[in-house]
Amino acid sequence: VHGSLKMKREEESKRAPRDSAPSSLSHNQIVDVWDYNFTLEMKTISRLIGDYPIVAFDTEFPGIVTGKKNDGSSNTYFSYGLIKRSVELTNLIQVGITLCDKNGQSPRETSTWQFHLKFDLEKDHYASQSIELLREAGIDFSKNKSSGISIAVFAEYFITSGLVLRDEVRWVCFHGIFDFAYLIKALSGETLLPEDEYAFQQKLALYFPQVYDLKVLADSHEHMRGSLAKLCMELGIERIGTQHQAGSDSLATAAAFFKLKEKFYNSNEKDRKAFNEFANALYGVNYPLNYPKTQSVTEEHLSFSYPSYLPYAYSGCMDNIEENWVPSSKIFAPSTYYQEPRKGYPH
């Protein structure tokens, strides 16, 4: 780090630590994290994670760039081959995390951090309509290029932060297969994802031993099925921040998780047992159990048909997808394995 950037980091590192007393999620702020304040914010998160070990998260990425065409299929599942290929070709734009304790309380001043990764529209692959959606949501790609966090630095600090590789930390997502795939790619330091779903599940269990997918939890209740926005509406959750930005989406995910748990999975021992049975079930990989098998990545897996919303800016919730929406063809390009739950949720 050189010049003024180094001085700015040193100045920030001298500031007093934030108050870590718990408060309601609705009263917290979203902190934007760039290259110049990244080190300070990671130190804050490392200090808090022991008391707030529930991590709700979301990512923003530049769409699906496999170049396949839509055939109008209504299938809502994702082939692992498609996920693997697209994630390997593209880079993250944002990561949002929200910290909570087991009762849904968060640190007083800040619950949510929105990490802006280095992304260059002149060099990185993307689907054009995804980028336009993210621009409309307020993402400043020029700043991502100039002040975004290097993915290598991001991964290095995450590995040592206490956020990952710990059984007591529980990660919460909404339909998070793409989100986890990007994080695994970053944290492993490898350009290629595991070859098949079984190997992917093993890698997932290594970095994220405890996972809850809201898509799985909501699937048992028909009126709760759909997007994250629909789930929040059904649960009476008011969004804080901007939709299709990772910080706001992670905050909504956290709020929905605790509301859903309280509403359906907390009244008696039977409900709590049912809740724990959903631990480590990730929608589209090992749930539902009749999800089509794809043992390894072959041309067959890369040539399957998929629905029209895939090239859309997929932020983990697929909000505002019109039924007959036609995707853009503009792409910028310079086994189901069932795993038994490892641990339950701490009630």
Side-chain angles (χ1 to χ4, degrees), residues 105-137:
Q105 298 296 301
S106 60
R108 180 179 298 279
E109 184 176 336
T110 301
S111 67
T112 305
W113 289 261
Q114 183 166 265
F115 298 91
H116 301 266
L117 285 305
K118 189 170 288 296
F119 192 88
D120 188 346
L121 291 174
E122 296 179 357
K123 297 179 181 179
D124 291 311
H125 297 171
Y126 61 83
S128 59
Q129 285 187 290
S130 298
I131 297 301
E132 288 307 309
L133 179 72
L134 295 177
R135 276 195 175 117
E136 291 174 5

Side-chain angles (χ1 to χ4, degrees), residues 282-299:
L282 191 61
Y283 198 91
V285 176
N286 57 8
Y287 180 93
L289 297 182
N290 62 351
Y291 175 72
K293 293 184 178 180
T294 55
Q295 290 293 337
S296 60
V297 180
T298 65
E299 282 303 312

Side-chain angles (χ1 to χ4, degrees), residues 158-225:
F158 252 61
I159 287 287
T160 59
S161 66
L163 285 165
V164 297
L165 303 168
R166 295 176 63 185
D167 287 341
E168 61 269 29
V169 176
R170 289 155 174 81
W171 283 70
V172 180
C173 63
F174 184 92
H175 204 169
I177 174 60
F178 276 93
D179 304 312
F180 278 117
Y182 275 103
L183 286 188
I184 287 172
K185 174 188 170 184
L187 296 175
S188 67
E190 299 172 355
T191 57
L192 300 179
L193 285 173
E195 190 65 19
D196 54 47
E197 284 136 315
Y198 180 84
F200 178 84
Q201 278 288 100
Q202 289 181 314
K203 189 82 76 170
L204 180 70
L206 172 66
Y207 289 106
F208 308 97
Q210 293 294 310
V211 169
Y212 287 91
D213 191 335
L214 276 179
K215 183 77 170 174
V216 173
L217 293 172
D219 197 56
S220 301
H221 310 280
E222 187 172 351
H223 65 293
M224 294 289 174
R225 295 174 185 170

Side-chain angles (χ1 to χ4, degrees), residues 16-22 28 44 47-48 52 106-110:
R18 291 195 176 96
D19 186 351
S20 60
N28 284 267
T44 301
R47 179 172 53 82
L48 294 171
Y52 302 92
S106 60
R108 180 179 298 279
E109 184 176 336
T110 301

Side-chain angles (χ1 to χ4, degrees), residues 3-147:
S4 60
L5 183 58
K6 182 177 181 180
M7 292 175 63
K8 190 167 187 178
R9 280 181 173 169
E10 289 176 347
E11 180 182 346
E12 287 179 330
S13 67
K14 297 176 183 177
R15 295 176 185 171
R18 291 195 176 96
D19 186 351
S20 60
S23 68
S24 168
L25 279 169
S26 63
H27 292 93
N28 284 267
Q29 297 179 353
I30 300 172
V31 172
D32 284 295
V33 185
W34 300 91
D35 180 70
Y36 48 80
N37 64 335
F38 175 69
T39 303
L40 173 65
E41 296 304 332
M42 287 305 298
K43 287 180 180 178
T44 301
I45 291 169
S46 294
R47 179 172 53 82
L48 294 171
I49 189 63
D51 294 326
Y52 302 92
I54 313 299
V55 184
F57 88 112
D58 183 74
T59 71
E60 301 297 341
F61 52 88
I64 312 299
V65 296
T66 60
K68 299 296 179 182
K69 295 181 179 179
N70 170 58
D71 70 344
S73 169
S74 61
N75 178 26
T76 59
Y77 301 130
F78 298 93
S79 158
Y80 179 73
L82 172 74
I83 297 164
K84 172 178 165 65
R85 184 174 181 181
S86 188
V87 170
E88 289 171 350
L89 287 172
T90 56
N91 295 316
L92 277 172
I93 296 170
Q94 283 185 345
V95 176
I97 66 170
T98 295
L99 300 186
C100 305
D101 64 17
K102 68 178 184 179
N103 299 313
Q105 298 296 301
S106 60
R108 180 179 298 279
E109 184 176 336
T110 301
S111 67
T112 305
W113 289 261
Q114 183 166 265
F115 298 91
H116 301 266
L117 285 305
K118 189 170 288 296
F119 192 88
D120 188 346
L121 291 174
E122 296 179 357
K123 297 179 181 179
D124 291 311
H125 297 171
Y126 61 83
S128 59
Q129 285 187 290
S130 298
I131 297 301
E132 288 307 309
L133 179 72
L134 295 177
R135 276 195 175 117
E136 291 174 5
I139 292 180
D140 182 353
F141 285 99
S142 63
K143 190 168 182 180
N144 279 80
K145 179 180 178 180
S146 63
S147 302

